[in-house]
Amino acid sequence: MSLLTEDVRRFIGHKSERFAACEAIEGGAVRRFCQAIMDGDEAYREQGATPGDAHAITPPLYPVFSFRTPFGANDVLTERASDGHFDGLVAGVGNGLPELPLRGLALLNGGAEVEFYQDAMVGDLVFQQSTYHDIVEKQSKAGPMLLVRIDTLYTNQHGQALLRYRRTQIRR
């Protein structure tokens, strides 16, 4: 039995809408992020005393983590808590892609590749747009599995590319 059905295959190439993080990059959030990753590089500290002055850069992966659920927004886990068929996997929800029809398949991290273009700055508004780049079926000792490759481009408010994040999900 193949896991890569036509219903799944039709998602290949599907692109999400380009959408913004819930807020512009703020110095306090960058500080907390730097503390969490234990990186005290001076380049991540705000340089100017007033808005519009020279701003600090963010750690390279910060744009990926700048997409938080805004206060008051619906939480998909809470919304689906009473659905007896919901398994808690929300693999595509955070990047704007529709959920793949893969009920009952476990989700494993298959790794990521990151290509950096330029630093995000405090004050930037970050946007993302994701694509189901490819979905392929492989055979493992435990049986068939799907490799789902998702490609996400992060840009700033000027449309300048910050980074491209390519991740692979293993579904089996």
Side-chain angles (χ1 to χ4, degrees):
M1 176 185 99
S2 177
L3 297 176
L4 187 55
T5 65
E6 274 308 309
D7 281 347
V8 174
R9 191 183 309 275
R10 70 181 174 84
F11 284 89
I12 298 172
H14 182 90
K15 190 174 277 197
S16 72
E17 296 293 322
R18 179 177 181 258
F19 65 96
C22 64
E23 58 194 14
I25 297 173
E26 185 267 323
V30 173
R31 178 183 50 77
R32 288 186 298 279
F33 183 83
C34 290
Q35 288 170 333
I37 64 171
M38 293 185 265
D39 188 346
D41 192 320
E42 292 288 324
Y44 306 142
R45 296 180 190 215
E46 285 192 85
Q47 306 297 314
T50 60
D53 286 349
H55 290 294
I57 62 172
T58 68
L61 285 175
Y62 185 84
V64 175
F65 298 97
S66 65
F67 286 82
R68 297 178 292 278
T69 303
F71 284 118
N74 294 333
D75 173 53
V76 69
L77 296 176
T78 302
E79 287 177 342
R80 296 184 64 184
S82 62
D83 179 355
H85 297 288
F86 180 58
D87 59 8
L89 295 179
V90 288
V93 174
N95 56 21
L97 291 171
E99 198 173 339
L100 293 172
L102 298 174
R103 280 187 190 247
L105 294 183
L107 171 66
L108 301 167
N109 182 353
E113 301 170 27
V114 182
E115 188 174 347
F116 295 101
Y117 302 115
Q118 71 179 31
D119 293 314
M121 308 289 286
V122 170
D124 279 351
L125 182 58
V126 178
F127 291 79
Q128 72 167 302
Q129 186 172 33
S130 297
T131 305
Y132 281 121
H133 181 73
D134 201 8
I135 305 172
V136 297
E137 186 168 4
K138 300 279 186 180
Q139 287 298 322
S140 72
K141 291 179 185 178
M145 64 180 176
L146 293 177
L147 301 178
V148 179
R149 185 158 179 189
I150 299 172
D151 186 340
T152 304
L153 179 65
Y154 293 86
T155 57
N156 63 17
Q157 68 274 16
H158 306 295
Q160 299 165 325
L162 301 171
L163 65 100
R164 182 172 300 278
Y165 190 79
R166 296 179 188 102
R167 64 188 169 114
T168 301
Q169 296 177 345
I170 300 170
R171 301 298 301 267
R172 62 182 189 124

